[in-house]
Amino acid sequence: MQDDLKKQAAEAALPYVQDCRILGVGTGSTVNHFIDLLAPIKHRFEGAVSSSEASTVRLQALGIPIVDLNAVGSLDVYIDGADEINSNLELIKGGGGALTREKIIAAASRQFVCIADQSKLVSRLGAFPLPVEVIPMARSYVAREIIALGGHPVWRENFITDNGNIILDIQRLDILEPMKLENTLNNITGVVTVGLFANRAADTVILASEQGIKTLSL
Ligand code: 5RP
């Protein structure tokens, strides 16, 4: 059922990309539905900037060319999922480990449309473990710094990001000030990216529930 709602959210995002030449495409099971839905309209797009090897494989299987972000400048629209969403459209992302490329594409896009099922909407971020991508040699140092800030970092074992780094998932956080925490964690030497999207939040969130589609924007 949750998967069906993810598909409904993905469907509702299609109007946002109808005039796009080059799409920004995120990662995850909700985005996989979105990519699949592009099949009948793929001829409209010159290509896509992809946030992960997994999405790249899926897009290429459809025949949609992958484009280097450096070759296209800013994008009109970026479509991606999230692990948690609050009422300010701030997000936790990176459950799939693609947070760094996702953050880069979100930053380079004029409109970030987040697609999700209703279960992702929370009153306060932090129940979902907050992913932090870290340069491998800095793992222990960064973990100690996170502990000093009151967090409980857990090494995501047997997982290497597409950028060759490791992930620390910070458990049991009650995130009262998302922007401030994003900046603090990003400032730890050895951190590549934190999966808090507060400085660059979503512009639009499409939420699918049993009651239908709800669109949130600020
Ligand atoms: C991947 C992500 C995903 O958007 C997030 O994990 C949501 O995934 P799903 O659509 O499978 O629920 O941030 O890094």
Side-chain angles (χ1 to χ4, degrees):
M1 190 29 103
Q2 189 187 14
D3 196 54
D4 198 43
L5 294 177
K6 288 180 180 197
K7 188 173 177 192
Q8 288 175 33
E11 259 163 1
L14 289 174
Y16 289 83
V17 300
Q18 65 178 0
D19 296 325
C20 277
R21 242 176 3 97
I22 297 175
L23 299 172
V25 177
T27 299
S29 54
T30 316
V31 166
N32 283 346
H33 284 302
F34 176 74
I35 295 172
D36 295 347
L37 289 163
L38 295 177
I41 53 168
K42 63 182 179 187
H43 55 273
R44 289 195 204 154
F45 309 110
E46 276 173 34
V49 176
S50 168
S51 69
S52 65
E53 299 304 323
S55 291
T56 292
V57 167
R58 215 170 176 104
L59 286 158
Q60 284 175 329
L62 281 185
I64 297 179
I66 299 302
V67 184
D68 182 348
L69 180 63
N70 295 302
V72 294
S74 55
L75 297 170
D76 288 332
V77 183
Y78 176 51
I79 307 287
D80 199 359
D83 299 300
E84 280 187 349
I85 302 160
N86 72 10
S87 56
N88 291 327
L89 314 193
E90 296 165 319
L91 315 170
I92 287 184
K93 291 184 46 53
L99 59 158
T100 299
R101 296 186 190 188
E102 291 173 344
K103 205 172 247 199
I104 294 167
I105 303 176
S109 298
R110 278 181 279 277
Q111 193 180 21
F112 175 9
V113 178
C114 178
I115 52 177
D117 66 274
Q118 175 82 20
S119 71
K120 305 292 182 70
L121 187 66
V122 297
S123 53
R124 193 174 283 172
L125 299 173
F128 188 93
L130 176 63
V132 182
E133 180 164 351
V134 176
I135 300 287
M137 73 170 286
R139 188 187 78 236
S140 298
Y141 167 73
V142 171
R144 289 196 298 278
E145 292 294 300
I146 290 171
I147 290 166
L149 291 168
H152 298 83
V154 175
W155 180 16
R156 197 181 294 184
E157 285 191 66
N158 304 315
F159 186 87
I160 297 291
T161 70
D162 287 345
N163 312 307
N165 299 312
I166 63 108
I167 300 266
L168 295 174
D169 290 301
I170 311 180
Q171 317 268 2
R172 285 177 277 148
L173 274 177
D174 194 14
I175 305 177
L176 301 174
E177 296 177 286
M179 249 185 231
K180 194 170 158 197
L181 184 64
E182 180 180 1
N183 294 340
T184 302
L185 291 169
N186 271 337
N187 254 338
I188 300 173
T189 303
V191 167
V192 179
T193 323
V194 53
L196 258 178
F197 286 56
N199 288 287
R200 203 296 178 235
D203 299 300
T204 302
V205 171
I206 297 174
L207 278 181
S209 73
E210 300 297 333
Q211 284 69 45
I213 294 289
K214 194 158 62 179
T215 303
L216 314 177
S217 40
L218 292 178

